[in-house]
Amino acid sequence: MTQIKTPQEIEQMRPACHHAANTLVMIEEYIKPGVTTNEINEIVHDYTIQHGGIPAPLNYHGFPKSVCTSVNHVVCHGIPCDKKLKDGDIINVDVTTIINGWHGDTSKTFYVGEPKIRAEKVTEVARKALELGISVVKPGATLGDIGHVIQQYAEAEKCSVVREYCGHGIGRVFHEEPQILHYGKPNTGLILKKGMVFTIEPMVNIGRAAVKVLGDKWTVVTRDKSLSAQFEHTMVVTDDGVEILTLPNLL
């Protein structure tokens, strides 16, 4: 059942959402050639703990690290390792923080050094796809409206949208109902109501949409080894639209 958060519960979520957003701002200066994803994981872990949070991915259904790092053709759930980033890579850093039992979930795809043309293309399409998805969120809209606008835009840009993974409700539980598909038909699916809190997190491929899970049972890659990019925000449906909760408040 989809939960409706009270204004008090939404206020209680804000620290976790701000923390996750601040973490992405913090990590950007470390995204450069020669850095390993393990080093990124350690920096995120330490920052999270030092600022009063708990890294939600760590030990979540057995996930072994504190952050997901998905490089190039890795779609999502990449496990940090000792492989070094190279100039021209793209990397999605997916951060989820728990504070006082509440979750904040956000991700961003970063350029490592100077991006190549196709890497820049898929990254900017994914960024715009998220913006478009957020733009249609309001009371009375449907989940199908969100998926439709994302799918239409990405496919018009000659990219594809991953079907197997989606956004989700979030609160005291990491993944709640509803599931937010990034494809669909307008005026279909659950009707949005004030107080719904969920993520939108389109995974966009420069090639075909098909993906597979590697032997580690976590890492998802494109079957054709084409590049994939993703952006994610946690948001709440308001009286007349939407508020993004995962915006930084470093100042």
Side-chain angles (χ1 to χ4, degrees), residues 54-68:
I54 298 170
L58 184 61
N59 299 319
Y60 180 75
H61 294 303
F63 190 79
K65 300 289 183 173
S66 295
V67 67
C68 296

PDB file of all heavy atoms in Angstrom, residues 54-68:
ATOM      1  N   ILE A  54      23.778   7.055   8.560  1.00  0.00           N
ATOM      2  CA  ILE A  54      24.102   5.648   8.357  1.00  0.00           C
ATOM      3  C   ILE A  54      24.004   5.371   6.864  1.00  0.00           C
ATOM      4  O   ILE A  54      23.002   5.741   6.230  1.00  0.00           O
ATOM      5  CB  ILE A  54      23.115   4.735   9.117  1.00  0.00           C
ATOM      6  CG1 ILE A  54      23.181   4.980  10.621  1.00  0.00           C
ATOM      7  CG2 ILE A  54      23.371   3.261   8.801  1.00  0.00           C
ATOM      8  CD1 ILE A  54      22.075   4.296  11.399  1.00  0.00           C
ATOM      9  N   PRO A  55      25.031   4.740   6.252  1.00  0.00           N
ATOM     10  CA  PRO A  55      24.930   4.417   4.825  1.00  0.00           C
ATOM     11  C   PRO A  55      23.983   3.243   4.600  1.00  0.00           C
ATOM     12  O   PRO A  55      24.288   2.103   4.961  1.00  0.00           O
ATOM     13  CB  PRO A  55      26.372   4.062   4.443  1.00  0.00           C
ATOM     14  CG  PRO A  55      27.018   3.628   5.725  1.00  0.00           C
ATOM     15  CD  PRO A  55      26.329   4.368   6.828  1.00  0.00           C
ATOM     16  N   ALA A  56      22.828   3.511   4.014  1.00  0.00           N
ATOM     17  CA  ALA A  56      21.792   2.491   3.868  1.00  0.00           C
ATOM     18  C   ALA A  56      22.208   1.283   3.023  1.00  0.00           C
ATOM     19  O   ALA A  56      21.774   0.163   3.314  1.00  0.00           O
ATOM     20  CB  ALA A  56      20.525   3.122   3.292  1.00  0.00           C
ATOM     21  N   PRO A  57      23.030   1.462   1.967  1.00  0.00           N
ATOM     22  CA  PRO A  57      23.368   0.284   1.159  1.00  0.00           C
ATOM     23  C   PRO A  57      24.170  -0.782   1.906  1.00  0.00           C
ATOM     24  O   PRO A  57      24.076  -1.969   1.565  1.00  0.00           O
ATOM     25  CB  PRO A  57      24.201   0.874   0.007  1.00  0.00           C
ATOM     26  CG  PRO A  57      23.765   2.296  -0.071  1.00  0.00           C
ATOM     27  CD  PRO A  57      23.506   2.704   1.349  1.00  0.00           C
ATOM     28  N   LEU A  58      24.965  -0.391   2.897  1.00  0.00           N
ATOM     29  CA  LEU A  58      25.871  -1.333   3.549  1.00  0.00           C
ATOM     30  C   LEU A  58      25.082  -2.451   4.228  1.00  0.00           C
ATOM     31  O   LEU A  58      24.274  -2.203   5.126  1.00  0.00           O
ATOM     32  CB  LEU A  58      26.747  -0.597   4.563  1.00  0.00           C
ATOM     33  CG  LEU A  58      27.821  -1.440   5.250  1.00  0.00           C
ATOM     34  CD1 LEU A  58      28.807  -2.013   4.234  1.00  0.00           C
ATOM     35  CD2 LEU A  58      28.566  -0.608   6.294  1.00  0.00           C
ATOM     36  N   ASN A  59      25.297  -3.666   3.756  1.00  0.00           N
ATOM     37  CA  ASN A  59      24.638  -4.881   4.264  1.00  0.00           C
ATOM     38  C   ASN A  59      23.148  -4.952   3.930  1.00  0.00           C
ATOM     39  O   ASN A  59      22.437  -5.808   4.465  1.00  0.00           O
ATOM     40  CB  ASN A  59      24.838  -5.027   5.780  1.00  0.00           C
ATOM     41  CG  ASN A  59      26.299  -5.156   6.158  1.00  0.00           C
ATOM     42  OD1 ASN A  59      27.052  -5.841   5.472  1.00  0.00           O
ATOM     43  ND2 ASN A  59      26.701  -4.481   7.222  1.00  0.00           N
ATOM     44  N   TYR A  60      22.672  -4.074   3.056  1.00  0.00           N
ATOM     45  CA  TYR A  60      21.270  -4.143   2.615  1.00  0.00           C
ATOM     46  C   TYR A  60      21.113  -5.366   1.715  1.00  0.00           C
ATOM     47  O   TYR A  60      21.663  -5.419   0.616  1.00  0.00           O
ATOM     48  CB  TYR A  60      20.890  -2.864   1.861  1.00  0.00           C
ATOM     49  CG  TYR A  60      19.471  -2.839   1.356  1.00  0.00           C
ATOM     50  CD1 TYR A  60      18.405  -2.621   2.226  1.00  0.00           C
ATOM     51  CD2 TYR A  60      19.182  -3.046   0.009  1.00  0.00           C
ATOM     52  CE1 TYR A  60      17.093  -2.596   1.771  1.00  0.00           C
ATOM     53  CE2 TYR A  60      17.878  -3.013  -0.463  1.00  0.00           C
ATOM     54  CZ  TYR A  60      16.841  -2.798   0.433  1.00  0.00           C
ATOM     55  OH  TYR A  60      15.542  -2.779  -0.031  1.00  0.00           O
ATOM     56  N   HIS A  61      20.395  -6.364   2.203  1.00  0.00           N
ATOM     57  CA  HIS A  61      20.257  -7.648   1.497  1.00  0.00           C
ATOM     58  C   HIS A  61      21.624  -8.212   1.093  1.00  0.00           C
ATOM     59  O   HIS A  61      21.747  -8.867   0.047  1.00  0.00           O
ATOM     60  CB  HIS A  61      19.363  -7.508   0.261  1.00  0.00           C
ATOM     61  CG  HIS A  61      17.940  -7.179   0.580  1.00  0.00           C
ATOM     62  ND1 HIS A  61      17.153  -7.959   1.404  1.00  0.00           N
ATOM     63  CD2 HIS A  61      17.144  -6.143   0.202  1.00  0.00           C
ATOM     64  CE1 HIS A  61      15.948  -7.430   1.503  1.00  0.00           C
ATOM     65  NE2 HIS A  61      15.914  -6.323   0.800  1.00  0.00           N
ATOM     66  N   GLY A  62      22.633  -7.913   1.894  1.00  0.00           N
ATOM     67  CA  GLY A  62      23.963  -8.447   1.647  1.00  0.00           C
ATOM     68  C   GLY A  62      24.876  -7.593   0.792  1.00  0.00           C
ATOM     69  O   GLY A  62      26.015  -7.992   0.509  1.00  0.00           O
ATOM     70  N   PHE A  63      24.426  -6.406   0.373  1.00  0.00           N
ATOM     71  CA  PHE A  63      25.309  -5.540  -0.422  1.00  0.00           C
ATOM     72  C   PHE A  63      26.526  -5.178   0.433  1.00  0.00           C
ATOM     73  O   PHE A  63      26.376  -4.731   1.570  1.00  0.00           O
ATOM     74  CB  PHE A  63      24.571  -4.277  -0.864  1.00  0.00           C
ATOM     75  CG  PHE A  63      25.333  -3.463  -1.878  1.00  0.00           C
ATOM     76  CD1 PHE A  63      25.348  -3.823  -3.206  1.00  0.00           C
ATOM     77  CD2 PHE A  63      26.048  -2.330  -1.493  1.00  0.00           C
ATOM     78  CE1 PHE A  63      26.050  -3.082  -4.151  1.00  0.00           C
ATOM     79  CE2 PHE A  63      26.757  -1.577  -2.418  1.00  0.00           C
ATOM     80  CZ  PHE A  63      26.762  -1.951  -3.758  1.00  0.00           C
ATOM     81  N   PRO A  64      27.743  -5.324  -0.105  1.00  0.00           N
ATOM     82  CA  PRO A  64      28.933  -5.255   0.745  1.00  0.00           C
ATOM     83  C   PRO A  64      29.534  -3.873   0.965  1.00  0.00           C
ATOM     84  O   PRO A  64      30.510  -3.741   1.709  1.00  0.00           O
ATOM     85  CB  PRO A  64      29.935  -6.138  -0.018  1.00  0.00           C
ATOM     86  CG  PRO A  64      29.556  -5.954  -1.455  1.00  0.00           C
ATOM     87  CD  PRO A  64      28.058  -5.813  -1.462  1.00  0.00           C
ATOM     88  N   LYS A  65      29.002  -2.845   0.328  1.00  0.00           N
ATOM     89  CA  LYS A  65      29.627  -1.524   0.396  1.00  0.00           C
ATOM     90  C   LYS A  65      28.615  -0.463   0.823  1.00  0.00           C
ATOM     91  O   LYS A  65      27.418  -0.716   0.923  1.00  0.00           O
ATOM     92  CB  LYS A  65      30.241  -1.159  -0.960  1.00  0.00           C
ATOM     93  CG  LYS A  65      31.321  -2.128  -1.431  1.00  0.00           C
ATOM     94  CD  LYS A  65      32.602  -2.020  -0.612  1.00  0.00           C
ATOM     95  CE  LYS A  65      33.671  -2.960  -1.161  1.00  0.00           C
ATOM     96  NZ  LYS A  65      34.971  -2.759  -0.487  1.00  0.00           N
ATOM     97  N   SER A  66      29.114   0.766   1.030  1.00  0.00           N
ATOM     98  CA  SER A  66      28.286   1.857   1.543  1.00  0.00           C
ATOM     99  C   SER A  66      27.695   2.744   0.463  1.00  0.00           C
ATOM    100  O   SER A  66      26.899   3.634   0.755  1.00  0.00           O
ATOM    101  CB  SER A  66      29.114   2.720   2.507  1.00  0.00           C
ATOM    102  OG  SER A  66      29.475   1.972   3.645  1.00  0.00           O
ATOM    103  N   VAL A  67      28.081   2.507  -0.786  1.00  0.00           N
ATOM    104  CA  VAL A  67      27.594   3.309  -1.911  1.00  0.00           C
ATOM    105  C   VAL A  67      27.648   2.444  -3.162  1.00  0.00           C
ATOM    106  O   VAL A  67      28.454   1.510  -3.248  1.00  0.00           O
ATOM    107  CB  VAL A  67      28.447   4.589  -2.071  1.00  0.00           C
ATOM    108  CG1 VAL A  67      29.862   4.263  -2.505  1.00  0.00           C
ATOM    109  CG2 VAL A  67      27.814   5.584  -3.033  1.00  0.00           C
ATOM    110  N   CYS A  68      26.777   2.736  -4.128  1.00  0.00           N
ATOM    111  CA  CYS A  68      26.836   2.063  -5.423  1.00  0.00           C
ATOM    112  C   CYS A  68      27.610   2.948  -6.400  1.00  0.00           C
ATOM    113  O   CYS A  68      27.340   4.157  -6.496  1.00  0.00           O
ATOM    114  CB  CYS A  68      25.437   1.811  -5.972  1.00  0.00           C
ATOM    115  SG  CYS A  68      24.440   0.684  -4.984  1.00  0.00           S
TER     116      CYS A  68
END
